[in-house]
Short mmCIF file of all heavy atoms in Angstrom, two decimals:
data_model
loop_
_atom_site.label_atom_id
_atom_site.label_comp_id
_atom_site.label_asym_id
_atom_site.label_seq_id
_atom_site.Cartn_x
_atom_site.Cartn_y
_atom_site.Cartn_z
N GLY A 42 -14.64 -14.12 13.41
CA GLY A 42 -13.69 -15.22 13.21
C GLY A 42 -13.36 -15.47 11.68
O GLY A 42 -12.87 -16.38 11.27
N GLY A 44 -11.20 -13.91 9.93
CA GLY A 44 -9.74 -13.81 9.67
C GLY A 44 -9.33 -12.32 9.43
O GLY A 44 -8.25 -12.09 9.03
N LYS A 45 -10.21 -11.38 9.75
CA LYS A 45 -9.92 -9.94 9.53
C LYS A 45 -8.68 -9.50 10.31
O LYS A 45 -7.78 -8.94 9.72
CB LYS A 45 -11.15 -9.07 9.75
CG LYS A 45 -12.28 -9.53 9.03
CD LYS A 45 -13.51 -8.57 9.33
CE LYS A 45 -14.07 -8.71 10.68
NZ LYS A 45 -14.56 -9.97 11.14
N SER A 46 -8.72 -9.62 11.69
CA SER A 46 -7.70 -9.26 12.45
C SER A 46 -6.31 -10.05 12.26
O SER A 46 -5.25 -9.47 12.26
CB SER A 46 -8.04 -9.39 14.06
OG SER A 46 -9.12 -8.60 14.27
N THR A 47 -6.57 -11.39 11.94
CA THR A 47 -5.51 -12.20 11.57
C THR A 47 -4.63 -11.57 10.28
O THR A 47 -3.45 -11.48 10.24
CB THR A 47 -5.88 -13.65 11.26
OG1 THR A 47 -6.55 -14.13 12.44
CG2 THR A 47 -4.68 -14.57 10.93
N ASP A 174 -8.46 -1.56 13.06
CA ASP A 174 -9.16 -2.74 13.39
C ASP A 174 -10.33 -2.36 14.27
O ASP A 174 -10.16 -2.37 15.57
CB ASP A 174 -8.24 -3.80 14.07
CG ASP A 174 -8.93 -5.11 14.14
OD1 ASP A 174 -10.15 -5.20 14.04
OD2 ASP A 174 -8.16 -6.13 14.45
N GLU A 175 -11.45 -2.06 13.67
CA GLU A 175 -12.67 -1.63 14.42
C GLU A 175 -12.40 -0.50 15.43
O GLU A 175 -12.73 -0.58 16.53
CB GLU A 175 -13.29 -2.86 15.16
CG GLU A 175 -13.69 -3.95 14.26
CD GLU A 175 -14.47 -5.01 15.05
OE1 GLU A 175 -15.49 -4.66 15.59
OE2 GLU A 175 -14.05 -6.21 15.06
N ILE A 206 -11.12 -2.32 9.17
CA ILE A 206 -12.05 -3.32 9.43
C ILE A 206 -13.25 -2.74 10.29
O ILE A 206 -13.13 -1.88 11.20
CB ILE A 206 -11.42 -4.37 10.43
CG1 ILE A 206 -10.30 -5.16 9.72
CG2 ILE A 206 -12.55 -5.43 10.91
CD1 ILE A 206 -9.54 -6.14 10.66
N HIS A 208 -17.61 -3.55 11.48
CA HIS A 208 -18.85 -4.37 11.43
C HIS A 208 -20.05 -3.54 11.05
O HIS A 208 -21.14 -3.99 11.15
CB HIS A 208 -19.06 -4.98 12.87
CG HIS A 208 -18.41 -6.29 13.14
ND1 HIS A 208 -19.02 -7.51 12.91
CD2 HIS A 208 -17.05 -6.54 13.49
CE1 HIS A 208 -18.03 -8.40 13.16
NE2 HIS A 208 -16.91 -7.87 13.52
N ARG A 261 -22.45 -9.78 15.22
CA ARG A 261 -22.74 -8.54 15.87
C ARG A 261 -22.64 -7.46 14.67
O ARG A 261 -21.86 -6.60 14.67
CB ARG A 261 -21.77 -8.16 16.98
CG ARG A 261 -20.34 -8.27 16.65
CD ARG A 261 -19.44 -8.20 17.86
NE ARG A 261 -18.09 -8.56 17.46
CZ ARG A 261 -17.20 -7.56 17.13
NH1 ARG A 261 -17.56 -6.27 17.18
NH2 ARG A 261 -16.00 -7.95 16.79
MG1 LIG B 2 -11.09 -8.99 14.79
#
Side-chain angles (χ1 to χ4, degrees):
K45 305 180 294 299
S46 299
T47 303
D174 193 343
E175 299 190 55
I206 298 171
H208 274 264
R261 56 195 172 88

